[in-house]
Amino acid sequence: MSIYNNVFHYYRGQTRNKDEVTNQLQIENNVTKAFLNVLQHSSPVLANEFIRFIGIKTKESANFEFRQQLTSQLSSITPLAGIIGIAENKEIRKGTYKDSNIPDGAILSNEISLLLENKIGYNSYLTKEQLDGHKRLFANGQYILDEPIIVTWIEIRNFLRAKQKDFDKEGDILTSFLLKQFEEFCVINCIGDRQKSKEYFFLRFEKDKARKLARKIDNYIWGNKEFEVEDAGTADGIGYRRKGFPKFATLTTARQRCLILHVGNKEEKKGLEFQTQIDKILKKDYNRSSSDSIKYPHEAYIRLEWVEDFEQIKPYIIEAYNSR
């Protein structure tokens, strides 16, 4: 499944004048929407169990209402109400209060009134003033928990992953599907991950066939008893280094999303030889630019969706490893 086939992930397009803050806010709003959509369209059992998970003991509800961007004061008084802060960590910093600050979402029933404030990114923090300020939107006379309930995104992901297995066993196809999609959505957007996971990069290969082969290549390289491998960090993919030597392979989301084999050194130009052989085996020519051939003659590129059988490229992975 391509990242844009995920039911929660959306294509932002070419937004004019967009900056990092705008993008962060777009993703933040979409995370809130996705999370509330999961609770809304799943079995009400999930919402009740989530409420227990965050430490609230109350009667179970059969009917919930989920809102985004709450702008008006609630009119109903419920037995219990509180603020939930969701972020990548549990730190609460001192900030400033603004009347314009509104909760990102709400979970409402006859038993509870919960307002949500969501932050994503490890450079974003919840603030006491903002959390306390949201209390103004509860109904007059409402009993409100003194302290906000703080939960991290990785805790929520762990909770939902465990629940997905339960609903899968129970045969609740819709709830299980939504939970799987939300987990994938979190992986795609690095929600609850300080660093981009391998799955983050696997999901960026557009074809299902390519994603499966990327996972197989990764398993082969790390599972090969003849290899001694170290992680070779790279910003746009997964790098593999022979211990004590330079990188010999990279699964990259750059260069048309492919496997790069780093063969020998530049002077030997073995990458160009590999490219010719691989193109002939796959019966497709990788479109190398002339500058790539000059700058990177030690590299060969393999589009994974062109590979019919892993055995076609396995010998070249081994030779790339040995050449370093």
Side-chain angles (χ1 to χ4, degrees), residues 1 6-9 34-35 38 153-165 175-193 197 199-200 203:
M1 176 177 289
N6 182 276
V7 298
F8 297 119
H9 190 67
F35 177 59
V38 170
W153 276 115
I154 193 59
E155 288 174 336
I156 289 179
R157 281 181 61 186
N158 290 339
F159 164 77
L160 293 179
R161 278 197 295 258
K163 291 297 133 188
Q164 185 273 315
K165 294 177 182 178
T175 301
S176 180
F177 169 77
L178 291 172
L179 289 170
K180 286 179 181 177
Q181 289 285 298
F182 184 73
E183 170 62 16
E184 182 180 85
F185 168 80
C186 289
V187 171
I188 291 168
N189 291 285
C190 297
I191 307 301
D193 285 323
S197 65
E199 193 63 21
Y200 169 90
L203 288 171

Side-chain angles (χ1 to χ4, degrees), residues 141-269:
Q142 173 70 63
Y143 168 72
I144 308 168
L145 294 174
D146 292 334
E147 297 296 327
I149 298 167
I150 308 301
V151 61
T152 65
W153 276 115
I154 193 59
E155 288 174 336
I156 289 179
R157 281 181 61 186
N158 290 339
F159 164 77
L160 293 179
R161 278 197 295 258
K163 291 297 133 188
Q164 185 273 315
K165 294 177 182 178
D166 292 341
F167 284 111
D168 196 37
K169 290 178 182 177
E170 293 169 7
D172 188 331
I173 297 173
L174 177 59
T175 301
S176 180
F177 169 77
L178 291 172
L179 289 170
K180 286 179 181 177
Q181 289 285 298
F182 184 73
E183 170 62 16
E184 182 180 85
F185 168 80
C186 289
V187 171
I188 291 168
N189 291 285
C190 297
I191 307 301
D193 285 323
R194 182 174 286 277
Q195 296 180 334
K196 295 173 181 177
S197 65
K198 286 184 179 181
E199 193 63 21
Y200 169 90
F201 292 109
F202 294 152
L203 288 171
R204 273 160 171 72
F205 285 90
E206 293 181 353
K207 303 290 185 180
D208 183 59
K209 178 181 179 181
R211 287 190 293 279
K212 288 179 179 177
L213 183 56
R215 295 185 184 100
K216 186 167 186 175
I217 290 168
D218 183 76
N219 288 333
Y220 170 74
I221 289 176
W222 283 105
N224 190 330
K225 294 180 179 178
E226 301 298 319
F227 287 2
E228 289 186 90
V229 183
E230 295 177 329
D231 176 65
T234 179
D236 54 15
I238 307 169
Y240 308 90
R241 176 190 297 116
R242 183 176 179 177
K243 283 188 177 180
F245 293 90
K247 184 166 54 176
F248 70 90
T250 306
L251 282 167
T252 182
T253 56
R255 309 287 182 86
Q256 305 173 53
R257 298 182 178 87
C258 65
L259 170 66
I260 302 176
L261 296 179
H262 311 270
V263 193
N265 56 51
K266 287 187 177 182
E267 291 72 22
E268 295 173 321
K269 298 183 179 181

Side-chain angles (χ1 to χ4, degrees), residues 54-199:
I54 60 175
I56 295 177
K57 297 180 180 179
T58 184
K59 293 180 181 179
E60 290 196 358
S61 299
N63 297 303
F64 288 93
E65 180 184 358
F66 302 92
R67 299 187 194 175
Q68 275 189 276
Q69 300 291 309
L70 195 72
T71 57
S72 57
Q73 187 177 29
L74 298 174
S75 57
S76 298
I77 296 177
T78 56
L80 191 146
I83 305 294
I84 302 176
I86 309 175
E88 297 292 3
N89 58 68
K90 294 189 176 183
E91 181 180 353
I92 298 178
R93 292 189 175 184
K94 184 176 177 57
T96 57
Y97 173 73
K98 297 179 182 178
D99 287 334
S100 59
N101 284 339
I102 61 175
D104 294 312
I107 302 174
L108 309 171
S109 74
N110 291 331
E111 299 297 326
I112 58 161
S113 302
L114 300 175
L115 301 183
L116 277 63
E117 179 60 35
N118 166 35
K119 300 293 183 186
I120 64 170
Y122 282 86
N123 293 322
S124 298
Y125 298 90
L126 297 164
T127 65
K128 177 175 174 52
E129 289 75 11
Q130 186 176 32
L131 295 171
D132 288 344
H134 291 337
K135 293 180 180 180
R136 74 187 190 280
L137 293 173
F138 289 117
N140 294 329
Q142 173 70 63
Y143 168 72
I144 308 168
L145 294 174
D146 292 334
E147 297 296 327
I149 298 167
I150 308 301
V151 61
T152 65
W153 276 115
I154 193 59
E155 288 174 336
I156 289 179
R157 281 181 61 186
N158 290 339
F159 164 77
L160 293 179
R161 278 197 295 258
K163 291 297 133 188
Q164 185 273 315
K165 294 177 182 178
D166 292 341
F167 284 111
D168 196 37
K169 290 178 182 177
E170 293 169 7
D172 188 331
I173 297 173
L174 177 59
T175 301
S176 180
F177 169 77
L178 291 172
L179 289 170
K180 286 179 181 177
Q181 289 285 298
F182 184 73
E183 170 62 16
E184 182 180 85
F185 168 80
C186 289
V187 171
I188 291 168
N189 291 285
C190 297
I191 307 301
D193 285 323
R194 182 174 286 277
Q195 296 180 334
K196 295 173 181 177
S197 65
K198 286 184 179 181
E199 193 63 21

Side-chain angles (χ1 to χ4, degrees), residues 10 12 15 17-27:
Y10 71 109
R12 290 192 296 275
T15 305
N17 301 321
K18 66 182 180 180
D19 53 28
E20 186 175 347
V21 174
T22 301
N23 286 343
Q24 180 92 347
L25 183 60
Q26 287 178 328
I27 297 172

